[in-house]
Amino acid sequence: MSLTNASPEAAASSAKTASFTLATLPASARNAALETIHAALSEAKDDILAANAKDLEAARKAAADGSLSQALVSRLDLGKKGKWEDMLKGILDVKGLEDPNLKGSHVFTVHEYSHRIVVGQVQMRSQLADGLTMERVSCPIGVLLIIFEARPEVIANIASLAIKSGNSAILKGGKESTESFVAISKVISAALEKTEVPNGAIQLVTTRDAISQLLDQDRYIDLVIPRGGNELVRYIKGATKIPVLGHADGICSIYLTASADKEKAITGVVDSKTSYPAACNSVETLLVQDTALKNVLPGIALALSGKGVSLRCDPASKAALGPLSLPNIQDAVPEDYDTEHLSLTLSVKTVPSIDEAISHINAHGSHHTDAIFTSDKAEAERFMNEVDSAGVYWNASTRLADGMRYGFGTEVGISTNKIHSRGPVGLEGLTIYKYKIRGDYQPTTGYGEGEGKIPWTHARLPL
Amino acid sequence: MSLTNASPEAAASSAKTASFTLATLPASARNAALETIHAALSEAKDDILAANAKDLEAARKAAADGSLSQALVSRLDLGKKGKWEDMLKGILDVKGLEDPNLKGSHVFTVHEYSHRIVVGQVQMRSQLADGLTMERVSCPIGVLLIIFEARPEVIANIASLAIKSGNSAILKGGKESTESFVAISKVISAALEKTEVPNGAIQLVTTRDAISQLLDQDRYIDLVIPRGGNELVRYIKGATKIPVLGHADGICSIYLTASADKEKAITGVVDSKTSYPAACNSVETLLVQDTALKNVLPGIALALSGKGVSLRCDPASKAALGPLSLPNIQDAVPEDYDTEHLSLTLSVKTVPSIDEAISHINAHGSHHTDAIFTSDKAEAERFMNEVDSAGVYWNASTRLADGMRYGFGTEVGISTNKIHSRGPVGLEGLTIYKYKIRGDYQPTTGYGEGEGKIPWTHARLPL
């Protein structure tokens, strides 16, 4: 690992060269490196927390004069209860995601793949023709660029994920966490010196304003993963030719029908809205079937109100809730339905049918996670088939959209991309594959249909 | 299908809306549409060839005054022996790629997936917790933008692939094939009117200079597939935020070692270079182990020379070939090793070791397809592991890099991307997946480790 003041181009080039070596290290070497990092960080706790305290002090001053938010100060704090321990545990969790056991002829299902790291895994094997065999083998993507905001623990998390999956990584953090970043980096850097992971595989860029130059390195960098707010993500998507994995917004909706279970639906909406309002998978818009306005909506509105949620209502839903005389009822404006509130605010809109609900979600949502609350199975299946989102749920909280909850063990982020990896991205999302062909110098012109040609066999061989 | 003079934004928006319906059509409806297109084109052969004759006449005039290449004129000609029949057969071939049979509990292997269209295929199924199940289901990507140059038969090919995979497609062709494009489009458009494929699912844009505006429609378009030369591909990659699937260059190399079979290696290099020199999978650089210069290279050079191939040699290889007094030996300049000749020219470079060969390929190649010719298995495996290309071959012709030859039935293109789909891309590359969760309104806050929490089960369920 290098803590570098080198140019972004030099950092990217060096990460690329290192990636070729890293990609060929056995799982045992990659796991050993994670153990070494874990031990080194454990030992250096006091030094790192002292550095973190400097960041915190500066941030508190900035917060006092109003130039920084209190939320950011809180995210910076590595000394907060459980945070340090979680960071260390995360490294071992990543190590624990084992490479698959390659012996024997066990056929892995796709499900099994998604739960394992697939570097070096033969995904298919076939005979193209006599004496000509082909394998598809998984491999790392190459070089990842991770751009993150305040949270200093992300450094250890991302370095672990990159090493485990055999990818080089370039990390660029926010300026508020510089002292912590440097301290953690030095420890990881010294630790990696003792391992087989090549120097340059993990690059930490501290140069100010390096982001735009890093985004130009499409020759060396294969994937950008932004970890931050939607302004950061939008900026990055517009500024680079490199593929970007992530999501800008999380405008999630619930379509509440008249047949939804009245009591349970309260639990579902309250959990979706209030269990972590600042998360991307929290619900932002409640679409209410017109026939549900009188019987189903009021109980939900009452419960939400009790949790301090403000409702931005269209005229029909406002009228339906009138008799309750709730505080925090406001008139919705059109922009509300395109807004990720990230707070205890919920947009409410009345729709006459499932068609309108689906159209609204496909047009105004962010293709992240959307749910239908109904007792009608056919209606639910239609909703799940027609809503174009990474997650489509029937009677389930939108807050389930999370790699840990999906059982992926860890999560690189949540993707609303339409290619490669969609929804919570596990380590599988950091791999691609290559085709290996083994032959005997056969000329391709000899194969095909017709007289004198050798036929292709294209037969599947056991894995 | 619409043959549209609408604005690029309107075309893209309409394709997006249609994609939601198309994505939910059953395979039978998509297949029926392909049959209808096939029948309509068969019937309209005379009209279409008459329109094609107008394009050809204009192109021949342009070729006569030097403003168009003869090769382009040839590619325009739909009346050329076998071309019309191949175009029609291609539609039925695409139809023949069946959707998987979903009944029973058969576990599909990844290999099987890649040979089938996977729209609506359950790829994994698991229990997240009691009463909370998750499925990963394949689905179309959404809207494809295909930009192609002269070949008019691409319209029928791409329309078939899009319909079969459940994606909307916007097609933008080159101006030289306008008459053919309009004629084929009208027939396909009228045919689709009789099918369940929604109007708007296939958009044909004839507006001049619409490409840059189409490339701005990242709100509606999910993937761009350029079918043309590397100038087109490079321009597109630089001009859009939409992911681009394809390859700009095909600088493929063969590393020839001293242990290669002398006779068979001749066949392998000659096939790789001469069987279709203008193809992206033809070899452009021959890296020669220094100890192979005297014994292995001469026979190959002689055979290549007999086929009219010019060699651009470095001093060591030139010296080794001196005694043969071959014509067509030139001094290589550094740029030769970064050049896709696309003709009967081959760059030759001497390297002292496999390390140098691998480094050269990773630095100068285009990560498309590279081969090693050796009798040493360990050396071959190392080459295949360390060369960062979509195809890595041992004693096999680079010309094997092709969807038909790989057994994928058809090919959308060859990708040198590091995410989503790499190498020859079959219909699998036009799909992504979504996660469906079915629950009973459980609050997410109730799950986890610790007292009073419900544990996640994350158990695999049968497919």
Side-chain angles (χ1 to χ4, degrees):
Chain A
M1 168 179 281
S2 312
L3 181 61
T4 182
N5 282 305
S7 73
E9 184 178 353
S13 162
S14 145
K16 186 60 137 189
T17 304
S19 77
F20 300 131
T21 306
L22 181 57
T24 62
L25 285 185
S28 57
R30 287 179 274 124
N31 286 338
L34 295 183
E35 276 178 22
T36 307
I37 291 174
H38 181 265
L41 286 172
S42 303
E43 222 167 273
K45 181 177 177 182
D46 294 345
D47 291 348
I48 292 169
L49 291 184
N52 184 241
K54 288 185 202 166
D55 282 334
L56 269 176
E57 197 189 324
R60 287 202 183 103
K61 276 184 196 157
D65 72 21
S67 62
L68 207 69
S69 76
Q70 198 53 50
L72 199 141
V73 176
S74 159
R75 285 201 289 273
L76 265 180
D77 188 0
L78 265 181
K80 207 161 57 179
K81 185 172 176 276
K83 206 164 183 181
W84 176 264
E85 291 70 25
D86 283 352
M87 181 181 97
L88 288 185
K89 181 171 175 296
I91 299 169
L92 297 185
D93 284 350
V94 169
K95 172 181 167 270
L97 297 164
E98 279 307 324
D99 279 88
N101 183 338
L102 292 172
K103 71 185 172 197
S105 61
H106 178 68
V107 175
F108 286 93
T109 65
V110 175
H111 182 83
E112 284 173 297
Y113 279 121
S114 74
H115 284 69
R116 292 157 182 276
I117 299 181
V118 292
V119 174
Q121 175 67 46
V122 179
Q123 299 176 334
M124 67 162 93
R125 181 178 279 135
S126 62
Q127 185 197 56
L128 300 185
D130 191 32
L132 205 51
T133 59
M134 180 171 81
E135 280 177 359
R136 187 165 110 171
V137 184
S138 66
C139 57
I141 288 176
V143 178
L144 316 174
L145 168 61
I146 294 97
I147 299 174
F148 55 97
E149 295 183 321
R151 306 175 188 270
E153 73 274 19
V154 168
I155 307 164
N157 175 237
I158 292 286
S160 307
L161 288 167
I163 291 168
K164 182 74 186 181
S165 60
N167 288 287
S168 282
I170 301 170
L171 291 94
K172 175 77 184 83
K175 68 176 189 305
E176 290 79 9
S177 57
T178 300
E179 295 286 340
S180 317
F181 188 96
V182 169
I184 296 176
S185 302
K186 279 187 180 159
V187 172
I188 297 182
S189 179
L192 284 179
E193 288 284 319
K194 299 176 223 159
T195 75
E196 292 178 58
V197 171
N199 193 24
I202 309 286
Q203 298 275 337
L204 298 134
V205 178
T206 53
T207 325
R208 280 172 71 94
D209 307 323
I211 292 183
S212 70
Q213 293 168 67
L214 284 168
L215 292 174
D216 281 341
Q217 307 304 319
D218 55 306
R219 188 175 159 200
Y220 300 116
I221 298 172
D222 300 299
L223 186 63
V224 184
I225 304 176
R227 305 254 298 212
N230 72 23
E231 244 177 275
L232 177 73
V233 179
R234 281 177 194 284
Y235 160 71
I236 289 170
K237 288 201 171 188
T240 187
K241 285 188 225 179
I242 308 168
V244 179
L245 189 86
H247 65 277
D249 295 310
I251 303 181
C252 302
S253 297
I254 294 173
Y255 172 45
L256 180 72
T257 72
S259 74
D261 184 296
K262 276 172 66 170
E263 289 307 312
K264 291 178 176 176
I266 295 173
T267 308
V269 176
V270 167
D271 186 80
S272 297
K273 183 69 233 177
T274 69
S275 62
Y276 187 2
C280 62
N281 55 13
S282 290
V283 68
E284 304 293 3
T285 300
L286 183 66
L287 298 167
V288 186
Q289 188 178 12
D290 50 11
T291 51
L293 284 173
K294 286 203 175 150
N295 287 320
V296 194
L297 180 62
I300 290 171
L302 209 57
L304 288 171
S305 181
K307 292 276 189 178
V309 177
S310 299
L311 302 179
R312 301 272 174 90
C313 292
D314 68 336
S317 60
K318 192 183 179 192
L321 296 177
L324 294 179
S325 303
L326 295 173
N328 305 329
I329 302 277
Q330 292 144 5
D331 289 318
V333 292
E335 297 73 45
D336 283 325
Y337 302 111
D338 297 303
T339 299
E340 186 181 21
H341 301 295
L342 292 172
S343 65
L344 289 174
T345 299
L346 181 67
S347 309
V348 182
K349 185 180 181 175
T350 308
V351 290
S353 67
I354 187 173
D355 301 78
E356 293 285 324
I358 292 170
S359 299
H360 179 94
I361 291 171
N362 284 338
H364 297 272
S366 43
H367 312 287
H368 187 298
T369 303
D370 300 284
I372 182 171
F373 285 5
T374 178
S375 300
D376 182 337
K377 182 178 187 322
E379 189 180 44
E381 297 298 329
R382 186 179 160 204
F383 179 91
M384 290 192 283
N385 286 331
E386 298 188 16
V387 167
D388 180 32
S389 295
V392 282
Y393 298 173
W394 177 22
N395 297 345
S397 168
T398 57
R399 292 272 298 123
L400 284 167
D402 170 274
M404 193 283 297
R405 290 170 177 181
Y406 274 26
F408 297 167
T410 186
E411 173 190 293
V412 179
I414 292 184
S415 163
T416 54
N417 290 19
K418 296 298 288 285
I419 64 165
H420 190 63
S421 208
R422 197 179 191 199
V425 180
L427 281 164
E428 186 192 21
L430 299 183
T431 66
I432 183 72
Y433 51 77
K434 54 166 70 171
Y435 289 97
K436 296 182 178 179
I437 292 182
R438 297 174 175 89
D440 191 29
Y441 305 95
Q442 298 94 333
T444 55
T445 49
Y447 296 94
E449 291 168 28
E451 223 185 291
K453 294 280 191 181
I454 305 163
W456 298 102
T457 46
H458 293 146
R460 184 153 68 90
L461 299 175
L463 289 177
Chain B
M1 171 180 281
S2 313
L3 180 62
T4 182
N5 282 306
S7 73
E9 184 177 353
S13 162
S14 145
K16 187 58 139 190
T17 304
S19 77
F20 299 132
T21 306
L22 181 57
T24 61
L25 286 185
S28 57
R30 287 180 274 123
N31 286 338
L34 295 183
E35 276 178 21
T36 307
I37 291 175
H38 180 265
L41 286 172
S42 303
E43 222 167 273
K45 181 177 178 182
D46 293 345
D47 292 348
I48 292 169
L49 290 184
N52 185 240
K54 289 186 201 164
D55 282 335
L56 268 176
E57 198 190 323
R60 287 202 183 102
K61 277 187 195 154
D65 72 19
S67 62
L68 208 67
S69 76
Q70 198 54 50
L72 199 142
V73 176
S74 159
R75 283 202 290 271
L76 265 180
D77 187 359
L78 265 181
K80 207 160 60 177
K81 183 170 176 277
K83 207 163 182 182
W84 176 265
E85 291 70 25
D86 283 352
M87 181 181 96
L88 288 185
K89 182 172 175 295
I91 299 169
L92 297 184
D93 285 349
V94 168
K95 172 179 168 271
L97 297 165
E98 280 306 326
D99 279 88
N101 182 337
L102 292 173
K103 72 184 173 199
S105 62
H106 178 67
V107 175
F108 287 93
T109 64
V110 175
H111 183 83
E112 285 173 296
Y113 279 120
S114 73
H115 284 69
R116 292 157 182 275
I117 299 182
V118 291
V119 174
Q121 176 66 46
V122 178
Q123 300 175 335
M124 69 162 92
R125 181 178 279 135
S126 62
Q127 185 197 58
L128 301 185
D130 190 35
L132 206 50
T133 59
M134 179 171 83
E135 280 177 0
R136 188 164 110 171
V137 184
S138 65
C139 57
I141 289 175
V143 179
L144 316 174
L145 168 62
I146 294 97
I147 299 174
F148 54 98
E149 293 181 323
R151 308 175 186 271
E153 72 275 18
V154 168
I155 306 164
N157 175 237
I158 291 287
S160 307
L161 288 168
I163 291 167
K164 182 73 185 180
S165 60
N167 288 287
S168 283
I170 301 170
L171 290 94
K172 175 78 185 80
K175 68 178 189 304
E176 290 80 10
S177 57
T178 300
E179 295 286 341
S180 318
F181 188 96
V182 169
I184 297 176
S185 301
K186 278 187 180 159
V187 172
I188 298 182
S189 179
L192 284 180
E193 289 284 320
K194 300 177 223 159
T195 74
E196 292 179 58
V197 172
N199 192 26
I202 308 285
Q203 298 275 337
L204 298 135
V205 177
T206 54
T207 325
R208 280 173 70 94
D209 307 322
I211 292 183
S212 70
Q213 291 168 67
L214 284 168
L215 293 175
D216 281 342
Q217 307 305 318
D218 56 305
R219 187 174 160 199
Y220 300 116
I221 299 172
D222 300 298
L223 186 64
V224 184
I225 304 177
R227 305 254 299 212
N230 72 23
E231 243 175 277
L232 178 73
V233 179
R234 279 177 195 285
Y235 160 70
I236 289 170
K237 287 201 173 189
T240 187
K241 283 187 226 182
I242 309 168
V244 180
L245 189 86
H247 65 276
D249 296 309
I251 304 180
C252 302
S253 297
I254 293 172
Y255 172 45
L256 180 72
T257 72
S259 74
D261 184 298
K262 276 172 68 170
E263 290 308 312
K264 291 177 175 175
I266 296 173
T267 308
V269 176
V270 167
D271 187 81
S272 297
K273 183 68 233 177
T274 69
S275 62
Y276 188 1
C280 62
N281 56 12
S282 289
V283 69
E284 304 292 2
T285 300
L286 184 66
L287 298 167
V288 185
Q289 187 177 13
D290 50 10
T291 51
L293 285 173
K294 285 202 176 151
N295 287 319
V296 193
L297 180 62
I300 290 171
L302 210 57
L304 288 171
S305 183
K307 293 275 188 177
V309 177
S310 298
L311 302 180
R312 302 273 173 88
C313 293
D314 67 336
S317 60
K318 193 184 180 191
L321 296 176
L324 295 178
S325 303
L326 295 173
N328 305 331
I329 302 276
Q330 291 144 4
D331 289 318
V333 292
E335 297 74 44
D336 284 323
Y337 302 112
D338 297 304
T339 298
E340 185 181 20
H341 300 296
L342 292 172
S343 65
L344 289 173
T345 300
L346 182 66
S347 308
V348 182
K349 185 178 181 176
T350 308
V351 290
S353 67
I354 187 173
D355 301 78
E356 293 284 324
I358 292 170
S359 298
H360 179 95
I361 291 170
N362 284 339
H364 297 272
S366 43
H367 311 287
H368 187 297
T369 304
D370 301 283
I372 183 171
F373 285 5
T374 178
S375 299
D376 182 336
K377 182 179 188 320
E379 190 180 42
E381 297 298 330
R382 188 181 157 201
F383 180 91
M384 291 192 283
N385 286 331
E386 297 188 16
V387 167
D388 180 32
S389 296
V392 283
Y393 298 174
W394 177 22
N395 297 345
S397 168
T398 56
R399 294 270 299 122
L400 284 167
D402 171 275
M404 194 281 297
R405 291 171 177 181
Y406 274 26
F408 297 166
T410 187
E411 172 190 293
V412 178
I414 293 184
S415 162
T416 55
N417 291 20
K418 297 297 288 288
I419 63 163
H420 189 62
S421 207
R422 197 179 190 199
V425 179
L427 280 165
E428 186 191 22
L430 300 183
T431 65
I432 184 71
Y433 51 77
K434 56 166 70 167
Y435 290 97
K436 296 182 178 179
I437 293 181
R438 297 173 175 90
D440 190 29
Y441 306 95
Q442 299 93 334
T444 55
T445 47
Y447 296 95
E449 290 168 27
E451 222 186 293
K453 296 279 190 181
I454 306 163
W456 298 101
T457 46
H458 293 144
R460 184 152 68 89
L461 300 175
L463 289 178

